[in-house]
Amino acid sequence: MELIEKQLNNGINLYIDTTDKFKTVTINLYIHNQLGKEATKYALLPAVLKRGTSSIKTYKEMVKFLENLYGTTMAVSVYKKGERHLQQYRLELPQEEYIQENILERGVKFLKDLIFNPFTEGNAFNKEYVLQEKEIHKNLIDSRINDKTRYAVDRCYEEMCKGEPFAIFELGRSEDLNFIDEVNLYHYYQNCINTLPIDIYVVGDVEPKYVEEVFAKYFSFKREQILNIPSPNVHKEVREIKYVTENLEVTQGKLTLGFRTNVPANSKEYFPLLVYSGILGGGPFSKLFMNVREKASLAYYAYSRLERFKGLMVVSCGIEIENYNKALDIILKQLKEIEEGNISDYELDSTIKALKTSLNAMKDNATSKSDYYLSQKIAGADLNIEEFIKKVEKVTKEDVVEVAKKVKLDTVYFMTGKREE
Amino acid sequence: MQKLYNERIDEKILLQELDNGLKVYIMPKRGYTKQFAIFATHFGSNDSKFIAPGDIDVTEVPDGVAHFLEHKMFEEKEGSIFEQFSKLGASANAYTNFTTTAYLFASTENFYENLKLLVKFVQNPYFTDENVEKEKGIIAQEIRMYQDDPNWRVYFNALEALYHVHPVRKDIAGTIESISQINKEILYKCYYTFYHPENMVLFVVGDIDIDKTLDVIKENVRQDKKQGEIERIYPKEPSSVYKKEVVQDMQVSIPLFNLGFKDTDVGFGGKKLLKKNLEIQIGLEMALGRSSDLYERLYNEGFIDSTFSFDYGGEIDYGYSIIGGQSKDPFKVRDIILNAINNLQFLKEEDFERIKKKYIGKFLRTFNSVDSIAYSFINFYMKEINLLDYLDLLYSISFEDVRERFQNHLREENSVLSVVNPIKK
């Protein structure tokens, strides 16, 4: 089934994917922005919007409204793909036939009001809402240290990309919050909704014409010149490898290595790179799993993962603190093995098959599908899942060895315990 | 084959019990790309003391043995099972919780070969002194990872406070000390006790051929005779809580808390347990959900944030509710909640129908994914509950049921507070 595309002529694009396998209709609305100095404001906005609309003035009433729509779920999040800062608003509505009621239009109107008709007072957001959300936002930023596994990866990237927009944390910086109030946030918000690109994906058992009509009814308002977001710079020469150690109250060390792949998101080399990362640490067939975990018993988890849009790769594992050198040596040896072409048929085939399985499996999840389309669009590519799989299947060992030469170690980050003093 | 069908959601599951006692459930799901199978045994971290069928003596094994066994099942004489699944393009995995060990795969091709592999490898243990020793380093790192995870710690500290002696208070993976005592003899003893087909269940879901699936299973399953009951020995748990408060310092930015309530009306499974589960969950949702007055108050006064959540976990022989999140003042949160729910008029009938609707939508969403269907099915199965009964039971619950259950379960004397505080400089 091909994706139906409909432009609303105001920088809002609607995409419809009809399938009858789900019991719900899923709407994902993404707002794109450049990751930059306004990141904190941008990240705070959805939390403030969630507090109330012009017609439903409190969060509590909003939730009641959704509960009455048979527990339609609303999920709002902020994250980054490369140096693109994204807000995601998701609604999942039960399919008509199971509840004997058509609730799609009510859901769409709600989504419109949530983002475009917020609860305001004069030319500003509600003061109290902004104050409360600022405090909570600060706590959420600070509490990222609680999840050590993820924190280690974020910190590695931050150290590695110091001075580049990618180093900005997706929720922004807590010190910026002091300068945000209900007035300047509202001005910033108006600028956002008037100029930022918006993509909406609808997945479910729907009649495309009807969906187009409903969205045209609520989302066809006039907007200003739409911002063009450039692709980030992915090329960077590493002059000297950075070594960073962070001492925390932990019992396990987290060793994280950051790499520059020098491969842009829409390059044809992206497919060999994907296979490269899979052979290195993409599953139980990979070199990291086999050598760091199974052979040396050093870790429970050891993997590699790409950040496609900024051209980065990270390797991460949790180890006994004193095993730092041992683990680092084994990891670096695996990279060298690939570069020298020591890749077995089993490693190559298993990687390609695993990628194929996970790509195919996206078809069974409405939000994964939306995210796939979105990523394709951001990368500047236009492949459906089948075409993407074909590209992956064509990758040869030689391609992998070739792309391996471009991958350069940039930063070694180690989270370790506090020294005894 | 027996057919379980639910008209409201138009889903069916086929059941066949094999001669050796294994129960096989097959659920066709047209149009899905992914196939999913789980082969599970009713053996979890709680089962550390038992009398095996045919034995007279009690066997007591170190904590963490069910989880350790799960890790070791992936190794065979010929090599790693992961390797064989990888060659077939499937992604295999396993998990252990308090009551269950489950092996699973997700595939998008070679389904029948993958199924055959799953059935065979779970029935083929291969433990040596060497491969058991090797695993200790890996599991030690898994244990350390959880030790450094404040959300995990605050949860298990709450369970330790709720229970005096029940094994649910112990970490699923055991401790580095307890796993050091595990050897291949212990693993084989547990394996032959708990991995008998009679103690197991196989659930398969996807766009698959029912007869062919059943044939593959029948051809590859062991033709053992039924072995009889395993006697599981759980210590007698008092109805009181063990400790009212437990506090640990960790590297966190803001305190985390779990407010736990011990369920004392336990000892049954099936529809009765499902009904209890739903009554408590609906009650919690009415009391503390995002549309409640109490949530609004706690949020607006800055005591909780969007990480706030709650859940009830009810098994046959125990159950508890956990309300958790991060807060600048967990003790105050506890006091506000306990104070509010003390009021008998606290739950309002006007909220009841709306929350019920929400649960209908939530249940429907389960059927959007073969993974979540499979996980839910197994989870319910171990409680003697049929997943397809859910909706009818939900419709049958009344406001009075919820109110009575809520008042009996959420009592101050049944509550404990677990807090993880930031380390003081």
Side-chain angles (χ1 to χ4, degrees):
Chain A
M1 186 71 215
E2 287 300 305
L3 194 62
I4 298 166
E5 180 176 349
K6 168 96 180 156
Q7 289 175 2
L8 299 176
N9 295 323
N10 54 1
I12 300 179
N13 306 302
L14 174 67
Y15 302 89
I16 304 164
D17 179 336
T18 57
T19 160
D20 64 1
K21 66 178 152 190
F22 302 122
K23 287 186 160 49
T24 51
V25 177
T26 304
I27 305 172
N28 275 294
L29 185 152
Y30 303 93
I31 308 181
H32 304 241
N33 198 1
Q34 231 165 319
L35 185 60
K37 56 182 197 305
E38 307 269 41
T40 315
K41 275 185 184 163
Y42 190 66
L44 177 64
L45 266 182
V48 174
L49 296 180
K50 245 174 98 173
R51 295 301 301 269
T53 70
S54 60
S55 53
I56 311 179
K57 293 189 169 52
T58 67
Y59 177 64
K60 184 168 78 179
E61 292 307 315
M62 236 182 213
V63 176
K64 282 187 178 173
F65 172 82
L66 294 168
E67 283 168 350
N68 273 320
L69 294 186
Y70 291 86
T72 289
T73 46
M74 163 177 66
V76 171
S77 56
V78 178
Y79 55 97
K80 60 186 179 188
K81 283 184 189 281
E83 290 172 355
R84 194 174 279 245
H85 207 175
L86 291 153
Q87 291 178 355
Q88 179 185 12
Y89 299 84
R90 178 164 59 87
L91 280 192
E92 205 176 330
L93 308 108
Q95 190 84 44
E96 189 176 346
E97 61 186 288
Y98 303 106
I99 53 172
Q100 285 77 46
E101 232 184 306
N102 179 1
I103 57 174
L104 186 72
E105 182 169 349
R106 273 182 280 168
V108 173
K109 181 181 184 302
F110 173 80
L111 187 62
K112 152 83 189 276
D113 287 345
L114 174 68
I115 300 165
F116 295 96
N117 295 321
F119 177 49
T120 54
E121 284 171 339
N123 226 351
F125 286 119
N126 175 291
K127 190 181 174 113
E128 213 173 306
Y129 285 178
V130 173
L131 268 175
Q132 285 164 359
E133 291 306 326
K134 272 169 59 175
E135 190 189 330
I136 283 167
H137 201 77
K138 185 181 182 309
N139 287 340
L140 292 176
I141 292 173
D142 293 345
S143 67
R144 72 187 184 125
I145 198 168
N146 297 2
D147 181 351
K148 307 289 182 294
T149 308
R150 183 168 169 208
Y151 180 76
V153 172
D154 282 358
R155 287 284 299 119
C156 179
Y157 275 149
E158 259 172 37
E159 290 290 337
M160 177 172 169
C161 298
K162 242 182 208 164
E164 297 172 76
F166 188 73
I168 299 169
F169 179 50
E170 62 213 22
L171 295 183
R173 289 160 291 238
S174 52
E175 56 270 30
D176 294 347
L177 288 163
N178 301 329
F179 305 103
I180 298 176
D181 61 35
E182 68 280 7
V183 177
N184 63 27
L185 187 65
Y186 186 66
H187 284 162
Y188 176 70
Y189 157 78
Q190 282 182 313
N191 186 46
C192 286
I193 56 164
N194 275 316
T195 62
L196 297 181
I198 295 177
D199 289 313
I200 305 170
Y201 296 88
V202 179
V203 182
D205 192 3
V206 290
E207 180 55 56
K209 273 269 159 280
Y210 173 67
V211 173
E212 281 177 26
E213 272 169 38
V214 173
F215 274 92
K217 184 169 165 190
Y218 294 101
F219 283 86
S220 287
F221 42 84
K222 226 175 123 41
R223 301 209 299 153
E224 290 164 24
Q225 182 71 36
I226 303 303
L227 179 77
N228 177 41
I229 301 172
S231 300
N233 175 32
V234 302
H235 299 284
K236 191 158 189 252
E237 197 189 327
V238 184
R239 294 221 170 74
E240 199 183 345
I241 297 168
K242 262 189 251 179
Y243 290 88
V244 180
T245 300
E246 189 165 341
N247 297 90
L248 298 174
E249 269 326 313
V250 290
T251 64
Q252 183 178 57
K254 311 261 193 228
L255 176 58
T256 306
L257 282 66
F259 298 83
R260 304 269 177 184
T261 71
N262 296 296
V263 174
N266 66 344
S267 147
K268 64 180 194 316
E269 283 175 300
Y270 174 67
F271 300 97
L273 182 69
L274 197 55
V275 175
Y276 166 87
S277 173
I279 292 170
L280 180 63
F285 45 80
S286 69
K287 289 192 183 288
L288 291 177
F289 187 90
M290 282 312 298
N291 292 286
V292 179
R293 175 176 152 141
E294 293 300 300
K295 289 205 182 118
S297 295
L298 290 181
Y300 168 64
Y301 73 89
Y303 67 84
S304 66
R305 192 190 297 150
L306 294 177
E307 206 298 325
R308 178 180 184 184
F309 305 95
K310 180 67 183 164
L312 308 177
M313 183 177 79
V314 70
V315 164
S316 195
C317 58
I319 55 171
E320 207 60 39
I321 286 163
E322 74 245 26
N323 286 335
Y324 171 85
N325 283 320
K326 237 194 253 178
L328 186 57
D329 286 350
I330 295 174
I331 293 167
L332 295 176
K333 184 156 181 276
Q334 306 317 309
L335 287 146
K336 204 150 176 268
E337 290 281 320
I338 301 182
E339 220 178 309
E340 288 170 358
N342 292 324
I343 301 165
S344 68
D345 291 344
Y346 161 67
E347 288 167 335
L348 180 72
D349 293 346
S350 300
T351 299
I352 290 174
K353 281 178 185 157
L355 287 167
K356 198 176 154 186
T357 301
S358 65
L359 282 156
N360 269 322
M362 285 182 189
K363 296 175 192 162
D364 287 352
N365 182 305
T367 294
S368 303
K369 248 177 152 178
S370 305
D371 184 73
Y372 172 83
Y373 296 134
L374 180 76
S375 293
Q376 280 298 108
K377 186 170 177 174
I378 294 175
D382 187 25
L383 300 175
N384 65 31
I385 294 177
E386 270 73 29
E387 291 162 339
F388 193 106
I389 289 172
K390 283 208 182 82
K391 298 266 184 198
V392 172
E393 282 179 322
K394 281 201 186 112
V395 173
T396 65
K397 209 179 283 187
E398 289 68 37
D399 298 336
V400 174
V401 173
E402 202 50 45
V403 85
K405 291 176 189 148
K406 305 190 89 172
V407 179
K408 301 290 178 214
L409 178 61
D410 184 303
T411 299
V412 177
Y413 167 89
F414 190 49
M415 178 194 291
T416 180
K418 290 253 160 95
R419 284 187 212 97
E420 304 285 327
E421 276 158 55
Chain B
M1 284 187 106
Q2 198 188 327
K3 188 166 143 184
L4 315 169
Y5 179 69
N6 188 296
E7 202 188 330
R8 285 188 215 263
I9 51 169
D10 189 24
E11 297 283 2
K12 69 170 175 199
I13 300 175
L14 298 141
L15 158 66
Q16 172 97 56
E17 186 175 336
L18 306 184
D19 295 339
N20 59 19
L22 178 69
K23 290 192 183 65
V24 177
Y25 292 86
I26 303 173
M27 181 169 179
K29 204 62 182 143
R30 297 285 158 251
Y32 273 74
T33 311
K34 190 151 85 176
Q35 306 93 28
F36 201 92
I38 296 193
F39 197 6
T41 165
H42 182 16
F43 176 43
S45 61
N46 285 348
D47 301 302
S48 56
K49 206 171 166 188
F50 53 88
I51 303 172
D55 280 8
I56 298 159
D57 295 334
V58 172
T59 304
E60 200 166 352
V61 293
D63 293 332
V65 75
H67 172 259
F68 201 106
L69 183 49
E70 174 224 299
H71 271 240
K72 282 331 299 168
M73 286 308 297
F74 283 91
E75 213 158 296
E76 284 186 0
K77 204 167 187 172
E78 298 73 32
S80 157
I81 289 302
F82 282 124
E83 188 172 326
Q84 296 181 50
F85 277 112
S86 296
K87 283 178 179 163
L88 292 167
S91 112
N93 212 334
Y95 64 85
T96 306
N97 59 32
F98 296 121
T99 61
T100 309
T101 314
Y103 301 83
L104 56 98
F105 73 82
S107 63
T108 56
E109 53 186 17
N110 304 319
F111 168 69
Y112 302 99
E113 283 169 79
N114 281 308
L115 181 62
K116 180 177 166 185
L117 180 57
L118 175 72
V119 173
K120 290 192 91 146
F121 99 82
V122 175
Q123 298 183 99
N124 186 24
Y126 176 68
F127 313 133
T128 65
D129 291 331
E130 198 197 349
N131 76 22
V132 169
E133 277 316 303
K134 191 210 80 179
E135 206 65 27
K136 290 178 181 173
I138 296 170
I139 295 176
Q141 289 314 311
E142 191 176 356
I143 292 170
R144 288 236 191 276
M145 181 177 84
Y146 284 114
Q147 259 173 16
D148 287 341
D149 179 347
N151 284 304
W152 188 261
R153 284 314 325 154
V154 77
Y155 177 61
F156 271 89
N157 288 348
L159 293 183
E160 271 176 40
L162 282 168
Y163 293 93
H164 295 257
V165 285
H166 195 284
V168 68
R169 69 197 302 278
K170 291 176 179 173
D171 225 314
I172 292 163
T175 62
I176 292 178
E177 209 282 310
S178 76
I179 62 163
S180 73
Q181 302 160 28
I182 293 174
N183 56 38
K184 70 171 192 291
E185 287 73 27
I186 294 173
L187 294 181
Y188 275 120
K189 178 75 192 175
C190 290
Y191 181 85
Y192 286 113
T193 304
F194 292 101
Y195 282 62
H196 189 283
E198 204 181 342
N199 191 46
M200 299 185 75
V201 58
L202 179 53
F203 181 82
V204 180
V205 54
D207 195 345
I208 51 176
D209 184 289
I210 295 162
D211 294 329
K212 202 169 166 192
T213 300
L214 195 58
D215 286 347
V216 170
I217 295 166
K218 280 181 179 164
E219 278 162 24
N220 292 288
V221 83
R222 277 200 322 244
Q223 299 306 317
D224 301 14
K225 288 207 176 65
K226 290 196 182 179
Q227 65 166 3
E229 285 287 303
I230 303 159
E231 199 180 321
R232 298 160 202 260
I233 300 165
Y234 301 126
K236 194 168 162 32
E237 174 65 31
S239 60
S240 64
V241 300
Y242 175 59
K243 246 196 264 180
K244 289 301 284 180
E245 286 172 14
V246 48
V247 179
Q248 184 183 348
D249 291 348
M250 290 182 79
Q251 185 90 48
V252 292
S253 61
I254 179 173
L256 305 179
F257 71 92
N258 268 193
L259 173 61
F261 292 86
K262 185 171 183 169
D263 186 1
T264 49
D265 181 21
V266 295
F268 49 89
K271 283 190 183 173
K272 197 176 162 196
L273 176 56
L274 176 59
K275 186 160 183 270
K276 177 174 77 172
N277 259 304
L278 287 168
E279 286 163 355
I280 296 178
Q281 284 184 18
I282 290 173
L284 285 168
E285 190 73 45
M286 289 168 69
L288 294 155
R290 298 300 199 250
S291 61
S292 67
D293 294 342
L294 195 49
Y295 179 86
E296 186 179 51
R297 177 184 161 199
L298 287 166
Y299 190 94
N300 289 355
E301 290 179 11
F303 287 115
I304 57 169
D305 60 29
S306 52
T307 62
F308 184 78
S309 69
F310 47 82
D311 198 13
Y312 170 73
E315 298 293 333
I316 292 171
D317 61 319
Y318 63 95
Y320 51 84
S321 291
I322 298 278
I323 299 165
Q326 46 188 44
S327 174
K328 61 187 180 193
D329 192 349
F331 292 89
K332 182 89 182 164
V333 173
R334 174 189 61 187
D335 295 345
I336 293 174
I337 292 175
L338 289 179
N339 240 320
I341 61 181
N342 249 334
N343 176 358
L344 294 181
Q345 304 309 311
F346 175 63
L347 295 184
K348 305 221 166 35
E349 189 155 11
E350 66 204 57
D351 296 324
F352 174 68
E353 285 303 324
R354 198 184 67 246
I355 297 301
K356 229 165 127 173
K357 272 190 177 174
K358 177 184 169 149
Y359 269 75
I360 294 168
K362 196 174 166 186
F363 180 68
L364 286 176
R365 281 198 302 278
T366 306
F367 288 87
N368 277 347
S369 129
V370 291
D371 314 39
S372 58
I373 293 170
Y375 290 127
S376 305
F377 184 90
I378 294 295
N379 182 15
F380 278 134
Y381 175 87
M382 294 297 168
K383 302 170 190 179
E384 298 161 6
I385 295 168
N386 169 11
L387 173 67
L388 296 187
D389 286 340
Y390 186 101
L391 212 48
D392 294 331
L393 233 150
L394 179 59
Y395 277 105
S396 79
I397 288 173
S398 71
F399 174 63
E400 270 314 308
D401 294 337
V402 170
R403 195 165 71 174
E404 203 183 311
R405 175 66 67 187
F406 189 84
Q407 280 167 9
N408 285 330
H409 173 50
L410 290 141
R411 282 179 291 128
E412 181 167 358
E413 66 265 31
N414 282 0
S415 71
V416 303
L417 181 66
S418 161
V419 176
V420 164
N421 271 328
I423 294 157
K424 287 165 204 85
K425 299 255 162 61

